[in-house]
Amino acid sequence: MTIEKIETFILKDKLQQSFFFSQWEYSERCICVVKVTASNGQYGWGEGYGPAHILEAGIEFLKPTVIGQNPLENEVVWNKMYRRTLDFARRGVLMASVSALDIAIWDLKGKILNLPVSTLLGGAHRKQIQPYATGLYYTDPKNPSRDFVEEAKLYVSQGFKAMKMKVGLGIETDVKFVKLIRETIGPDIKLMVDSNHAYTFREAVELARKIEKYDIGWFEEPISPEFYEQYNELRSKTTIPIAGGECEYTRFGFQQLIKHKSVDIIQPDICASGGLTEAKRIGALASANGIDIIPHTWGTAIGIHVALHFISNIESIPGRMHDANFLIEYDQTENGLRERLTYPKIKMIDGMIEVPNRPGLGIDIDEDVLREYAMTKEEIKSTFV
Ligand code: MG
């Protein structure tokens, strides 16, 4: 059996309401998904994290390397893609193209073998994963506090036991809002903060020290991802665990974060850092160094299912009778592609999401919804060229 066909789709959802974080404004969600079909007619779906049109061009570039390969030999295919892109893409969006294809091949492999991806990974240590809500962006840059309290209360009422808020608006503003959210949700809900590398080292130390008293689960991307040693120094100056890695790629990139003892928690985006094949290796690195791994997710429910299967397979070292909760990032911002593209829908019951035990990733695409969001060649050309 061989891989016979690769199709890409650029999907765009224009948002009803723009939202902001420390770096820029989101007014739409635009995502490249890929369908890989085998010679027996079975297919798998993948998605990449990064600028959709560049990702699509990367997949186009990789097609001759992947067509004709055996979808059951995902590591062989991964290595061929890696070698084909290494000279130009040790980091960056071409690796996200590799990731999207790799994920689609895992989904396809699972469907061919009639096994869930978690089983292919080695088995699910846990059947349910606790989601944390990613939200608390702001919609009005002049009045960011307006929606924060209502949104935080909504997450608690929906059953979330953890949530992550955006910081990076300026230290005094951040401290005010962190205090506001902690007072709103009370002491029993886990609260994390994410500055999306908005700060210098000194600023990050100052903010961390000022919000330590609000019991912060982790401080994500406090400073630029390039400063591995400053991350390490920051860890020594605050009691808040430091997290990062959503801008990092492959086991070789994560080795830098780990070697420099930069973070307490690594956050690879499986749809960018090398797909599931490489995530398994990054996970082994984290495990061998006693570092927690909580993947970054942002996109459609394809990516969320990828993370569910992967997290179910993370081994507790050494483990104990009452296992710790393993978290999955569950974005709550407006995104029709996350809510409507795939079925069955994601369900959170009693604050937990089940790991599907259906073949592959355990989802399929609603082709009507796909067509509704898919950009035409003309739209793509006029938007991106
Ligand atoms: Mg982040």
Side-chain angles (χ1 to χ4, degrees):
M1 190 183 316
T2 56
I3 293 169
E4 203 168 73
K5 195 157 104 184
I6 296 171
E7 299 161 89
T8 51
F9 305 87
I10 295 187
L11 311 176
K12 187 166 88 169
D13 182 21
K14 182 94 186 88
L15 303 182
Q16 314 261 332
Q17 168 87 67
S18 291
F19 60 87
F20 300 79
F21 68 118
S22 70
Q23 302 300 323
W24 62 73
E25 170 191 3
Y26 270 99
S27 58
E28 63 186 30
R29 304 296 286 264
C30 190
I31 296 169
C32 178
V33 300
V34 61
K35 182 180 188 183
V36 172
T37 306
S39 47
N40 70 351
Q42 286 183 290
Y43 56 85
W45 287 94
E47 82 169 277
Y49 169 57
H53 57 301
I54 309 177
L55 245 152
E56 185 181 51
I59 292 171
E60 201 61 40
F61 171 74
L62 286 160
K63 269 186 188 175
T65 307
V66 176
I67 301 265
Q69 297 298 318
N70 181 347
L72 302 180
E73 297 192 339
N74 56 284
E75 290 188 14
V76 174
V77 185
W78 192 94
N79 184 258
K80 285 181 191 295
M81 291 194 284
Y82 174 68
R83 283 180 49 223
R84 189 69 189 90
T85 55
L86 176 64
D87 291 15
F88 337 104
R90 288 170 57 240
R91 291 166 160 180
V93 70
L94 254 177
M95 187 47 69
S97 305
V98 170
S99 307
L101 284 164
D102 177 80
I103 288 164
I105 292 168
W106 275 86
D107 185 30
L108 172 58
K109 182 176 174 177
K111 286 171 177 161
I112 292 168
L113 298 175
N114 204 27
L115 292 170
V117 163
S118 61
T119 304
L120 299 183
L121 287 165
H125 295 283
R126 52 203 68 82
K127 308 290 185 195
Q128 294 183 318
I129 315 284
Q130 188 184 87
Y132 75 82
T134 284
L136 301 165
Y137 287 71
Y138 52 104
T139 53
D140 179 356
K142 294 201 179 94
N143 182 18
S145 68
R146 199 184 53 177
D147 304 322
F148 280 174
V149 169
E150 285 314 306
E151 190 180 337
K153 281 185 185 166
L154 176 70
Y155 295 149
V156 175
S157 73
Q158 288 171 331
F160 282 103
K161 301 282 184 279
M163 66 184 76
K164 186 169 79 187
M165 63 180 294
K166 290 294 164 183
V167 292
L169 313 182
I171 290 168
E172 295 315 316
T173 309
D174 288 345
V175 173
K176 189 172 81 181
F177 290 140
V178 170
K179 178 173 185 284
L180 178 69
I181 300 293
R182 175 49 81 202
E183 285 170 356
T184 302
I185 63 179
D188 298 331
I189 304 285
K190 200 173 164 84
L191 177 65
M192 293 78 78
V193 301
D194 181 2
S195 90
N196 296 89
H197 48 72
Y199 287 122
T200 64
F201 170 72
R202 272 183 230 278
E203 289 169 326
V205 172
E206 184 183 343
L207 176 60
R209 286 182 172 165
K210 285 183 172 164
I211 59 175
E212 276 172 358
K213 60 185 167 196
Y214 301 115
D215 188 17
I216 303 301
W218 69 71
F219 187 174
E220 178 169 322
E221 287 204 300
I223 53 181
S224 169
E226 306 293 3
F227 297 145
Y228 299 108
E229 286 173 15
Q230 287 192 357
Y231 266 86
N232 172 255
E233 215 180 322
L234 178 61
R235 285 183 64 219
S236 70
K237 294 192 182 302
T238 176
T239 56
I240 302 176
I242 301 298
E246 72 182 70
C247 308
E248 197 56 83
Y249 296 85
T250 75
R251 80 198 91 145
F252 306 106
F254 282 92
Q255 191 180 21
Q256 295 303 311
L257 273 177
I258 289 170
K259 194 168 81 183
H260 289 93
K261 299 184 169 38
S262 304
V263 291
D264 298 282
I265 301 154
I266 57 169
Q267 301 170 302
D269 191 305
I270 304 170
C271 300
S273 58
L276 275 163
T277 302
E278 193 67 351
K280 185 90 175 141
R281 297 161 178 158
I282 294 166
L285 266 182
S287 167
N289 287 275
I291 292 173
D292 288 342
I293 179 165
I294 303 175
H296 171 259
T297 67
W298 182 259
T300 77
I302 300 172
I304 295 170
H305 281 78
V306 168
L308 279 172
H309 287 277
F310 176 76
I311 295 165
S312 78
N313 177 248
I314 297 173
E315 198 177 12
S316 301
I317 299 289
R320 55 182 187 253
M321 190 186 291
H322 300 290
D323 208 4
N325 268 327
F326 281 71
L327 293 172
I328 182 168
E329 177 164 22
Y330 192 14
D331 167 32
Q332 296 296 300
T333 59
E334 183 189 344
N335 181 359
L337 298 172
R338 185 190 61 237
E339 298 301 320
R340 299 187 53 217
L341 185 64
T342 54
Y343 62 91
K345 303 290 174 210
I346 296 170
K347 276 196 214 121
M348 185 171 78
I349 298 167
D350 296 331
M352 302 295 279
I353 301 178
E354 248 178 57
V355 181
N357 61 4
R358 298 174 291 275
L361 293 172
I363 43 169
D364 209 340
I365 298 283
D366 183 327
E367 301 257 356
D368 290 337
V369 175
L370 182 82
R371 276 190 290 277
E372 190 185 319
Y373 286 109
M375 294 177 77
T376 63
K377 292 275 175 254
E378 289 68 39
E379 280 173 306
I380 294 167
K381 208 167 171 189
S382 64
T383 306
F384 298 122
V385 179

